[in-house]
């Protein structure tokens, strides 16, 4: 029961589109039903910090986390580490145990992943390799006409932190059936 959180629509940024595509693909490969209400792509930076109704009330991010928990979500996969950091802080403010009640994972292994004592679990991209490959493509393509499109896959690395753990036990309803 993993939700995907992003601050922009997938079609507006290719990296967000790719990350969402892999989220969807992983669900399919594991035979996990995909729930549209678990995919949130409206958490822009300004919107995350704006009160949902009036000053002093929870932000949209707080409300989103509450709504996802009510749907049975046990983990958040965030578009980037800053959003993961903000989600972890919101959980602290709400009294939600991370990772006991909700696991959080970011992406990029940026400075945001290291701003909490427990460090945020993240996915690291080898940005040096990305830059080197991009430069090689540009330099190699400058002499060719017409330019041929190329797609390269640069490996990523999982960096475990203190914001992920085992999923909480599923609660059972009155009939003794696990809630989804």
């Amino acid at each position: 029961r993993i939700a995907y959180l992003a601050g922009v629509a997938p079609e507006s940024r290719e990296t967000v589109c790719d990350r969402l595509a892999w989220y969807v693909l992983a669900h399919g490969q594991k035979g996990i039903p995909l729930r549209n209400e678990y995919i949130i792509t409206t958490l822009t930076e300004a919107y995350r910090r704006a009160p949902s109704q009036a000053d002093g009330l929870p932000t949209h991010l707080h409300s989103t986390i509450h709504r996802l928990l009510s749907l049975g979500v046990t983990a958040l996969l965030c578009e980037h580490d800053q959003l993961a950091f903000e989600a972890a802080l919101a959980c602290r403010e709400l009294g939600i145990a991370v990772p006991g009640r909700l696991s959080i994972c970011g992406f990029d292994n940026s400075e945001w992943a290291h701003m909490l004592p427990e460090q945020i679990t993240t996915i690291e991209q080898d940005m040096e390799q990305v830059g080197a490959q991009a430069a090689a493509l540009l330099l190699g393509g400058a002499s060719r006409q017409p330019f041929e499109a190329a797609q390269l896959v640069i490996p990523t690395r999982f960096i475990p932190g203190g914001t992920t753990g085992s999923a909480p036990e599923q609660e059972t309803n009155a009939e003794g059936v696990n809630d989804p």
Side-chain angles (χ1 to χ4, degrees), residues 150-169:
Q151 181 176 2
L152 297 173
V153 177
I154 309 295
T156 57
R157 184 169 65 110
F158 177 72
I159 310 231
T163 59
T164 53
S166 298
E169 292 293 321

Side-chain angles (χ1 to χ4, degrees), residues 130-140:
V130 169
Q133 292 293 330
L137 284 172
L138 288 171
L139 292 172

